[in-house]
Amino acid sequence: MIKKLSLISLFTLLPASYYYAQTTVFAYLKDADGKPVEQANVDLKGAGNDAKADKIGYFQFKDLMPGHYQIMVTKPNFETKIFEFDVTSDEKRKDLGVITLYSALNGADQGLAIIEDSGESDGGGAQQTATVGLLQSSQDVFSRIASFDLGPYWFRPRGIDSRTGENMINGVSMAAADNGDVDFSTWGGLNEITRYPEIAANHAPSEYAFGGTTGVFYKNTKASEYRKGSQLTYSLTNRNYTNRLSYRFSSGMNKNGWAFTGMIARRWAQEGIQDGTAYDAYSGYVGIEKKFSDSHTMTLNAIGSKYARSSSSPSTQEVYDFRGVHYNSYWGWQNGDKRNERVKRGFQPMIQLQDFWKINKNSQLWTSVSYQFGKEYSSRLDWYRANNPSPTYYRNLPSYWLNYKDPSPEQAANIGITRDWWTNDDQSHTQINWDNLYNANRNVEYNALLGGRRAAYYLVDDVKDDKVWNVSTHYTYNFTDTSRFILNLSYQNYRSEQYREVNDLLGADFALNMDPFASNTTAGSVWGKFNTRESDTDVAKREGDKIGYSYIFRRQEFKINPAFKFSTGKFDVFISGLFGYTTNSREGLFQHYLYESSYGKGADQNFWNAGVKGQVTYKINGRNFLVYNGAYFSQSPFLNDIYFNTRVSGVTTPGIKNVVVDANDLSYVISTPIVKLRLTGYLVNTQNETSVQRYFAQGVKLTNLTESGDQAPVQDGAFITQVLAGANKRNMGIELGAQVKVTPTLTASGLLSLGQYTYTNNPTVYFASDAVGTFRELDGNGNIVSRSYTNMGEATLKNYRQGGTPQEAYTLGLRYSSPKYWWVGATWNYFGHSFLDPSPVTRTARFYTNPNTPGVPYDQVTDEELARVLTPTKLPSAFFFNVNAGKSWMIGKYYVLLSASVNNILNNRNYITGGFEQTRNVNYIDYANDYDSGNMVFAPKYWYNQGRSYFVNLQFRF
């Protein structure tokens, strides 16, 4: 009877066994030299088993059911690899091809999987589905070289603003809604947690988000994906900090389905490479993962960094000639210690819950909920009706006094006095004199009404108090082995209260919440008050009180990103779409005495977004590819661009529009064990960009209409908000990255980047003046209109070069990798064709028009003369040598890694990394006199490369 039942069971189950055909999946592991990697651990996520590569690098998993899988490859001395694949019911054997493992000793290799066809043919197998992954899941050779060798020198690929990219952690965008920047200090120091993101370079489409033009960087921090065990790391450097100590522990997934990863890190420096820059940051991460079944897991992540770091100042060439490139005007001595006025402090942790659900063999859904909160403080000195305390204030420099044609005896004496300060480094004058600031406050007359002495000088904090909710989903459905549908949905709710508060009164009793430049501050009047809703006694602010401005930003953003990937014949195609909507508002909490719109919630500002991206890969054969990427999309303006003068006004930028991007590139890619190469030509057109600057201007020569219609001059010298609206840009060029195995142990690499980044139109410049508030002007029909800004006209920027990055770069490098796990490498890097962004207002007609004869230029002005004084500021070219080396050991079960790098080994200090043209003299006569003086007072300000730097890293795994 039992035998009969067994036979019946056998024949009953045979059809089901056939239907659910079990598959063997296999691959070969090789290093960057094409040699087999043996004894590597290969973990099949969610299956509870693993494999180990044999002597030829071969591994396999047997009897896999149809579905979606993820494997993780680990081995000491090599970077961890994580990638995904699908098994279908009609496959008996699935060949994943060759998986290349990069050495962990080389920081240029980002540790992401590159899957290659095991043969020369362009036929089926893994190559059909892996080609898109080749470019989507890894940094290509150009990007690796650029990030490792050129990144420290402020090289920006293609010259594109990083605000157009997408940096994501656990499905959530990290870009700030007010300015689009990513604040990496939020998770700084947690390198071992946030490394190895999946990358879609430049404007290529991504599986996780639509992105922009500077790529999508996506990182999941799943607790089970980190190497099991502990890792202790110590780093020594002379950059922003001098010491870094970190510890990470990962439990791996236990039998009960739990995994835990935790990390703590500290970075600190009493003084960094720049004078007077202290650094102290504590970072932490906790990740908990629960596996409910083979198809369902959930993670809880908490990540944050509490930091305090000092800033360094830009300076004119005059100052650097006196004091060198490490000079920093932001600090001074106080009680024997260096005190910096510009210190950024913050703690804005994130808590994230993420659910991973494999719905069936063809589809899966990832859902993320995230909350970020906390405050960021940025300190600076402020003063009320007192002299500017900065040691580089123009009256404290010899150039100012040298410009007097017939100096008085006192003025002539000041030439020698100020020169002695700077040549002899009299730090009571070349640095902030904190004792003088305290003494000035002690000498202020006691105010009986306000109960103390008013601060002439005081320290304030600009505060951002953020609360950000994010919800996102990532859904995929595999129609076949070679076609996949992807849908990303996201929602963000951003609320940020931004205000200034009193940090330190420097011995005084209170600071006045009033405008020191106001022409009338009579007691009992609202004139001059930053908040007219306060009483006369409430204007006295103590430490911790709000002062100057206070408002709330709100933004809600919805995004829908459908995408489709498929392969057919020799083509792989990836199409991605975008539909988005943002609603934005500002609510003022102070009623400024000049700006009616400063108080209360303004009308919502709404913007729709749409776009499409596409990638087509043509497989010439298994190792040669042609890749086209194209994108056309719109991007909502950020909050700081929408509102003209956010701190004191609810007025929106005139004609504000979505930024529109049209981007295309074409690449030829070679990927073999001997040669890796990418040659790309690109063209990126950007329209409707808006930029906002705030500075003190003199000589603006603004006028205003009285109520009777008469012209009246505006106070000469005031804080200005400048908006450049509707700027169009073109970024075009070629990129070449190559890596060649000269011998099995010697690798040569090279990079070439030639670009031309220009303005392609003449955008409009608008001004708001803190001395005016409301401008009365004639419109096109001759009627008087009142606005919180004035139209300065078009800025003649067409064909001017954009600033901010070299437009020409070259790299050549060699690296020797010993079979005994040590290596040494060196690179030569060259940068050229770098410019400062042109000052827009000095390129307007207002700059050269005589205010006494409206519409008529100054007598001296000709096209040739304007071209002479407004020549673009081109920065000097420079070259650098970098060296790096490392060695690792296996001591029983323990792994030790020692690596070191030295950048700019020749100590070249002539490279300017950035800067700006000063916009102090905003009329031709004053500007030309300063320009021709030979001692230009308001010359451009620069940041310099800081010379030789080093980084030594010791890592111990156990």
Side-chain angles (χ1 to χ4, degrees):
M1 183 66 180
I2 294 176
K3 290 181 179 181
K4 288 181 180 180
L5 289 174
S6 299
L7 287 172
I8 292 171
S9 300
L10 176 62
F11 283 101
T12 301
L13 293 175
L14 272 175
S17 176
Y18 176 79
Y19 181 78
Y20 294 107
Q22 294 176 329
T23 304
T24 297
V25 174
F26 64 95
Y28 294 86
L29 302 180
K30 293 186 179 182
D31 63 16
D33 300 317
K35 295 180 179 179
V37 177
E38 59 178 308
Q39 297 301 305
N41 291 314
V42 186
D43 181 24
L44 186 66
K45 308 299 286 183
N49 62 335
D50 56 19
K52 193 175 288 287
D54 63 17
K55 290 185 177 181
I56 62 171
Y58 177 84
F59 72 88
Q60 67 177 16
F61 292 99
K62 292 184 176 181
D63 301 331
L64 294 187
M65 302 295 289
H68 185 76
Y69 293 90
Q70 184 184 79
I71 60 176
M72 179 171 65
V73 184
T74 59
K75 185 182 179 181
N77 300 314
F78 291 93
E79 300 287 12
T80 298
K81 309 292 183 179
I82 300 172
F83 60 92
E84 300 174 354
F85 63 90
D86 294 295
V87 172
T88 59
S89 58
D90 58 351
E91 293 179 298
K92 293 185 178 180
R93 290 177 61 81
K94 186 177 186 69
D95 182 0
L96 297 181
V98 174
I99 300 172
T100 302
L101 301 182
Y102 287 103
S103 169
L105 303 177
N106 187 353
D109 297 322
Q110 298 300 306
L112 294 160
I114 296 180
I115 306 176
E116 299 173 336
D117 191 0
S118 56
E120 294 287 347
S121 70
D122 58 5
Q127 191 61 41
Q128 288 286 334
T129 55
T131 309
V132 174
L134 171 73
L135 297 176
Q136 291 299 309
S137 302
S138 63
Q139 279 197 316
D140 60 85
V141 61
F142 179 92
S143 300
R144 286 202 302 271
I145 297 172
S147 63
F148 187 64
D149 292 310
L150 305 186
Y153 302 106
W154 300 90
F155 174 76
R156 199 166 67 203
R158 304 188 180 183
I160 303 294
D161 187 343
S162 62
R163 299 195 309 169
T164 65
E166 192 81 80
N167 201 300
M168 308 179 75
I169 293 183
N170 299 320
V172 172
S173 174
M174 293 291 101
D178 58 346
N179 57 20
D181 292 335
V182 176
D183 189 357
F184 292 95
S185 58
T186 300
W187 61 88
L190 301 171
N191 304 41
E192 291 84 349
I193 295 297
T194 57
R195 304 175 73 176
Y196 315 133
E198 294 191 55
I199 299 169
N202 304 306
H203 59 269
S206 165
E207 289 202 11
Y208 302 101
F210 185 81
T213 50
T214 54
V216 175
F217 301 82
Y218 182 91
K219 174 62 184 174
N220 260 335
T221 60
K222 296 180 71 174
S224 64
E225 292 184 355
Y226 296 97
R227 180 183 290 107
K228 184 177 180 179
S230 294
Q231 178 174 303
L232 184 65
T233 304
Y234 173 73
S235 304
L236 178 68
T237 181
N238 70 335
R239 298 176 185 174
N240 293 335
Y241 55 87
T242 55
N243 301 276
R244 176 180 178 267
L245 183 64
S246 69
Y247 171 73
R248 177 188 61 80
F249 170 77
S250 295
S251 67
M253 186 68 73
N254 65 23
K255 295 180 180 179
N256 296 321
W258 288 94
F260 170 83
T261 294
M263 182 175 175
I264 55 174
R266 187 190 177 200
R267 295 165 294 159
W268 72 97
Q270 185 173 354
E271 186 172 55
I273 195 169
Q274 282 284 81
D275 294 340
T277 54
Y279 197 108
D280 199 11
Y282 295 86
S283 308
Y285 166 80
V286 174
I288 302 172
E289 183 175 351
K290 172 59 178 173
K291 178 182 176 182
F292 300 101
S293 67
D294 289 345
S295 61
H296 189 198
T297 62
M298 186 174 288
T299 66
L300 176 65
N301 300 287
I303 188 169
S305 177
K306 185 178 182 180
Y307 57 88
R309 62 179 188 273
S310 305
S311 300
S312 59
S313 64
S315 294
T316 61
Q317 190 60 51
E318 176 188 14
V319 173
Y320 286 124
D321 288 342
F322 281 122
R323 301 307 324 144
V325 299
H326 289 160
Y327 174 75
N328 179 12
S329 66
Y330 290 157
W331 70 270
W333 292 102
Q334 183 177 358
N335 299 325
D337 295 323
K338 290 182 177 180
R339 183 179 182 182
N340 193 310
E341 61 149 317
R342 305 287 179 101
V343 180
K344 181 168 282 190
R345 316 179 315 279
F347 182 51
Q348 295 180 302
M350 293 182 292
I351 300 174
Q352 300 177 317
L353 185 66
Q354 196 170 22
D355 183 83
F356 300 86
W357 178 29
K358 186 163 66 176
I359 301 172
N360 54 45
K361 65 179 182 179
N362 293 323
S363 59
Q364 60 179 350
L365 179 68
W366 300 354
T367 304
S368 302
V369 178
S370 173
Y371 179 58
Q372 183 175 12
F373 60 97
K375 295 182 180 182
E376 179 184 78
Y377 303 82
S378 299
S379 69
R380 50 154 291 178
L381 274 171
D382 206 349
W383 53 97
Y384 187 91
R385 297 193 171 176
N387 292 328
N388 189 326
S390 171
T392 57
Y393 179 57
Y394 68 96
R395 292 176 181 266
N396 295 329
L397 296 171
S399 57
Y400 174 74
W401 304 103
L402 284 166
N403 277 349
Y404 280 94
K405 294 180 180 179
D406 298 308
S408 66
E410 181 183 359
Q411 292 165 346
N414 283 335
I415 297 173
I417 291 171
T418 54
R419 183 182 286 121
D420 286 344
W421 291 349
W422 290 95
T423 55
N424 299 321
D425 192 21
D426 179 355
Q427 292 188 347
S428 63
H429 293 93
T430 62
Q431 303 298 152
I432 291 174
N433 194 318
W434 290 100
D435 290 340
N436 283 355
L437 305 187
Y438 277 86
N439 289 334
N441 284 346
R442 294 189 189 102
N443 292 329
V444 174
E445 183 179 352
Y446 187 89
N447 187 310
L449 175 65
L450 299 178
R453 287 183 170 83
R454 171 185 59 79
Y457 298 97
Y458 50 99
L459 205 65
V460 296
D461 280 322
D462 291 312
V463 184
K464 287 181 64 178
D465 184 357
D466 292 345
K467 295 177 175 61
V468 188
W469 283 97
N470 282 281
V471 180
S472 66
T473 62
H474 171 71
Y475 173 78
T476 62
Y477 183 85
N478 295 329
F479 293 102
T480 67
D481 276 1
T482 58
S483 61
R484 172 183 292 185
F485 171 73
I486 304 158
L487 179 63
N488 298 303
L489 305 175
S490 66
Y491 166 74
Q492 182 182 85
N493 188 309
Y494 173 88
R495 182 189 188 277
S496 179
E497 185 173 353
Q498 303 191 16
Y499 55 90
R500 179 171 289 174
E501 71 177 22
V502 180
N503 175 309
D504 190 339
L505 288 167
L506 307 182
D509 296 309
F510 63 87
L512 276 182
N513 192 26
M514 301 187 74
D515 183 357
F517 295 99
S519 58
N520 181 358
T521 54
T522 306
S525 169
V526 298
W527 191 259
K529 288 183 179 181
F530 286 133
N531 187 7
T532 61
R533 304 174 73 84
E534 294 176 336
S535 69
D536 285 351
T537 55
D538 287 339
V539 297
K541 300 299 180 181
R542 271 68 181 180
E543 291 175 3
D545 288 346
K546 293 181 181 180
I547 189 171
Y549 66 90
S550 180
Y551 62 93
I552 297 173
F553 267 155
R554 293 182 177 89
R555 181 181 177 104
Q556 294 187 71
E557 184 169 33
F558 305 83
K559 288 183 181 179
I560 304 173
N561 170 218
F564 185 59
K565 298 172 67 173
F566 66 93
S567 298
T568 176
K570 290 190 174 187
F571 290 93
D572 288 341
V573 181
F574 190 172
I575 300 173
S576 177
L578 170 68
F579 304 96
Y581 174 77
T582 64
T583 179
N584 311 268
S585 67
R586 176 195 180 276
E587 180 182 359
L589 304 180
F590 277 12
Q591 178 68 68
H592 192 279
Y593 74 103
L594 286 176
Y595 297 95
E596 183 179 348
S597 64
S598 58
Y599 184 77
K601 185 179 181 299
D604 290 344
Q605 303 298 316
N606 305 318
F607 299 88
W608 289 92
N609 291 321
V612 62
K613 286 185 175 184
Q615 181 183 80
V616 179
T617 301
Y618 175 72
K619 296 166 284 188
I620 300 172
N621 55 41
R623 293 177 176 177
N624 292 266
F625 311 92
L626 289 175
V627 183
Y628 166 77
N629 290 293
Y632 187 85
F633 61 92
S634 62
Q635 186 175 45
S636 295
F638 299 105
L639 284 157
N640 281 345
D641 297 333
I642 295 172
Y643 295 96
F644 199 101
N645 191 1
T646 58
R647 293 182 174 182
V648 296
S649 171
V651 173
T652 57
T653 300
I656 187 73
K657 297 178 181 178
N658 288 20
V659 175
V660 177
V661 176
D662 177 10
N664 296 271
D665 67 35
L666 181 65
S667 299
Y668 172 57
V669 178
I670 300 175
S671 183
T672 75
I674 304 298
V675 177
K676 298 188 186 303
L677 177 146
R678 174 167 72 82
L679 174 63
T680 302
Y682 62 87
L683 174 63
V684 181
N685 289 312
T686 308
Q687 301 177 49
N688 303 331
E689 279 202 356
T690 300
S691 61
V692 180
Q693 293 178 293
R694 185 169 169 81
Y695 53 85
F696 190 90
Q698 207 164 11
V700 181
K701 309 302 182 188
L702 297 175
T703 59
N704 206 354
L705 292 179
T706 63
E707 292 184 3
S708 61
D710 298 326
Q711 292 279 355
V714 171
Q715 176 181 318
D716 184 11
F719 279 99
I720 293 293
T721 298
Q722 173 189 280
V723 174
L724 182 67
N728 298 344
K729 298 178 180 180
R730 173 171 294 165
N731 295 57
M732 59 187 297
I734 59 173
E735 297 173 333
L736 173 65
Q739 179 180 295
V740 179
K741 292 295 180 183
V742 182
T743 70
T745 57
L746 184 65
T747 302
S749 61
L751 175 148
L752 177 149
S753 176
L754 296 176
Q756 187 180 75
Y757 317 143
T758 58
Y759 289 88
T760 59
N761 75 328
N762 296 323
T764 304
V765 180
Y766 299 95
F767 262 22
S769 170
D770 284 4
V772 181
T774 300
F775 287 89
R776 295 184 184 90
E777 298 177 321
L778 296 177
D779 64 13
N781 298 318
N783 300 315
I784 296 178
V785 294
S786 297
R787 289 185 291 244
S788 297
Y789 56 85
T790 183
N791 186 332
M792 300 292 287
E794 288 188 346
T796 310
L797 298 183
K798 188 174 182 179
N799 297 325
Y800 267 86
R801 294 291 186 110
Q802 301 171 35
T805 185
Q807 302 193 17
E808 178 180 312
Y810 307 92
T811 290
L812 291 173
L814 285 174
R815 179 172 181 262
Y816 176 80
S817 301
S818 169
K820 296 184 178 181
Y821 299 112
W822 64 269
W823 57 270
V824 62
T827 59
W828 169 84
N829 308 295
Y830 174 88
F831 302 94
H833 282 81
S834 187
F835 297 82
L836 296 187
D837 249 332
S839 168
V841 71
T842 59
R843 273 77 180 179
T844 64
R846 287 283 190 103
F847 172 74
Y848 57 81
T849 299
N850 190 332
N852 298 320
T853 55
V856 179
Y858 290 101
D859 292 338
Q860 303 92 323
V861 170
T862 63
D863 290 342
E864 293 76 15
E865 173 62 7
L866 286 177
R868 183 184 71 86
V869 298
L870 299 177
T871 299
T873 305
K874 185 176 182 180
L875 305 178
S877 58
F879 67 88
F880 304 94
F881 284 99
N882 302 339
V883 296
N884 46 76
K887 176 76 172 81
S888 70
W889 300 265
M890 286 298 299
I891 306 173
K893 297 185 299 181
Y894 305 108
Y895 170 78
V896 180
L897 166 66
L898 177 64
S899 62
S901 64
V902 181
N903 285 343
N904 190 11
I905 197 169
L906 298 181
N907 202 26
N908 182 350
R909 297 187 179 184
N910 297 321
Y911 178 58
I912 297 173
T913 60
F916 54 90
E917 294 183 357
Q918 289 200 77
T919 313
R920 185 86 178 199
N921 291 321
V922 192
N923 69 82
Y924 165 78
I925 296 298
D926 294 340
Y927 187 95
N929 287 338
D930 191 23
Y931 185 86
D932 292 331
S933 68
N935 305 288
M936 194 171 181
V937 177
F938 300 113
K941 287 193 172 185
Y942 305 118
W943 281 277
Y944 268 85
N945 177 68
Q946 300 307 311
R948 184 185 300 114
S949 64
Y950 61 84
F951 193 92
V952 181
N953 197 65
L954 178 63
Q955 189 179 100
F956 182 52
R957 297 179 192 163
F958 55 96

